Amino acid sequence: MRAQSSATAPTPIAVDAPAHPRAGILQAALGVVAFSLTFPATAWGLEGFGPWSLVAVRSVLAAVLAGGCLLALRVPPPARRHWPGLAVVAAGVVLGFPLLTTLALETSTTAHAAVVVGLLPLTTALLSALRFGIRPSRTFWTAALAGAAAVVAFTVQQSGGALTAADAYLFGALLVCAAGYTEGGRLARVMPGWQVIGWALVVCLPLTAPAAALALTHEPVHLGVHSVTGLLWVAAGSQFLGLVVWYRGMAAVGIPKASQLQLAQPLLTLVWSVLLLGEHLTVAAPVTAVAVLVCIAVTQRARG
């Protein structure tokens, strides 16, 4: 495993990342599957909750789950040097991305919103290169750009080719999430990945708990099977469990390679949208899926 932090960084401690690269790829892939359900689950949640209520309550529930695990296992608080990175993870992954994408999904379809996920791998790789001095090969970048272009073309075509007012939210979500992924991947090399997202969720609790109480008093709530299921999934699956395996995967195989697995996420999201939301796909879906899988295979073989 190659270190990505500076030479002055502390010696890694008891990391729970898998030692074998294939295990890391598998865990990152499981994270992608969990994330691919986020937009459809959010759409379900919005059937019964307002956007602010949904985001705040999901964060509180995820923090309670994470905090319970931390307490049960008697995990000591992270060292002071790790808190700035955890703050970036919290701002990007716990608060920024869920809020901005939920606001976007009020007026955007899941297909259109998937554009942000298609661009996320490339943005994460770029930020990691700037942050840590990582220099992937030319082949890696060529395949990554080709895959991103294929995903963007497909998702824009699915949404009718028109940009919406939600695009500002989506591009903002893209940037903050990439920053959170980058810092989370770095921290997962020196502390267990589940603790990275666990502490990030807990540190947000003083903000999310009052926000949830306030939002629930100002936005109508209509509990139903869809709304409750969507809330539970984005809280437990997307916000906690998915990020646990995702950060472990990034720690094992590196941020750039793990991030390229997310090229498949928009296509998975569209499949779930058909099955769960009744949306319709065109014949372009299998063609794009093959192109994306080829790009992923190339990035996994390219030398970083």
Side-chain angles (χ1 to χ4, degrees):
M1 182 186 302
R2 293 182 302 172
Q4 294 182 166
S5 55
S6 64
T8 59
T11 302
I13 57 170
V15 183
D16 67 349
H20 199 287
R22 289 185 179 178
I25 291 173
L26 176 60
Q27 296 221 18
L30 289 175
V32 169
V33 173
F35 300 153
S36 71
L37 281 160
T38 300
F39 286 171
T42 299
W44 273 8
L46 287 172
E47 293 180 12
F49 296 90
W52 296 91
S53 299
L54 181 61
V55 172
V57 173
R58 71 180 272 186
S59 297
V60 170
L61 292 178
V64 171
L65 176 61
C69 293
L70 292 169
L71 285 175
L73 297 176
R74 299 181 180 180
V75 178
R80 182 179 299 178
R81 62 180 177 271
H82 297 321
W83 284 107
L86 287 171
V88 174
V89 175
V93 177
V94 177
L95 298 177
F97 187 80
L99 177 59
L100 292 171
T101 54
T102 299
L103 291 173
L105 284 171
E106 280 198 295
T107 57
S108 174
T109 65
T110 56
H112 188 81
V115 172
V116 70
V117 181
L119 293 175
L120 188 55
L122 181 58
T123 307
T124 303
L126 284 172
L127 286 184
S128 68
L130 294 174
R131 176 70 173 83
F132 306 118
I134 300 171
R135 294 295 181 267
S137 68
R138 183 176 299 177
T139 301
F140 178 97
W141 285 117
T142 300
L145 287 169
V151 169
V152 169
F154 176 67
T155 51
V156 169
Q157 186 271 335
Q158 286 292 299
S159 63
L163 297 179
T164 68
D167 289 325
Y169 290 134
L170 295 174
F171 284 114
L174 171 69
L175 293 175
V176 298
C177 189
Y181 279 174
T182 299
E183 284 302 305
R186 179 186 68 83
L187 289 171
R189 286 182 172 271
V190 295
M191 60 189 295
W194 76 271
Q195 292 182 25
V196 173
I197 185 58
W199 287 113
L201 286 164
V202 170
V203 78
C204 288
L205 198 54
L207 294 175
T208 55
L214 182 63
L216 288 172
T217 61
H218 287 80
E219 293 180 334
V221 175
H222 303 286
L223 298 181
V225 175
H226 279 187
S227 60
V228 172
T229 302
L231 171 62
L232 292 178
W233 178 259
V234 294
S238 303
Q239 194 93 54
F240 182 60
L241 298 177
L243 285 167
V244 168
V245 293
W246 174 244
Y247 283 139
R248 286 182 56 139
M250 283 199 295
V253 301
I255 295 172
K257 284 191 175 183
S259 68
Q260 299 315 302
L261 292 173
Q262 283 195 308
L263 286 169
Q265 186 172 324
L267 303 178
L268 289 173
T269 297
L270 291 171
V271 171
W272 297 126
S273 297
V274 170
L275 297 177
L276 302 177
L277 303 177
E279 296 186 5
H280 300 282
L281 298 181
T282 67
V283 294
V287 175
T288 308
V290 171
V292 168
L293 290 175
V294 169
C295 291
I296 291 175
V298 173
T299 59
Q300 294 304 313
R301 292 180 179 275
R303 292 184 177 182

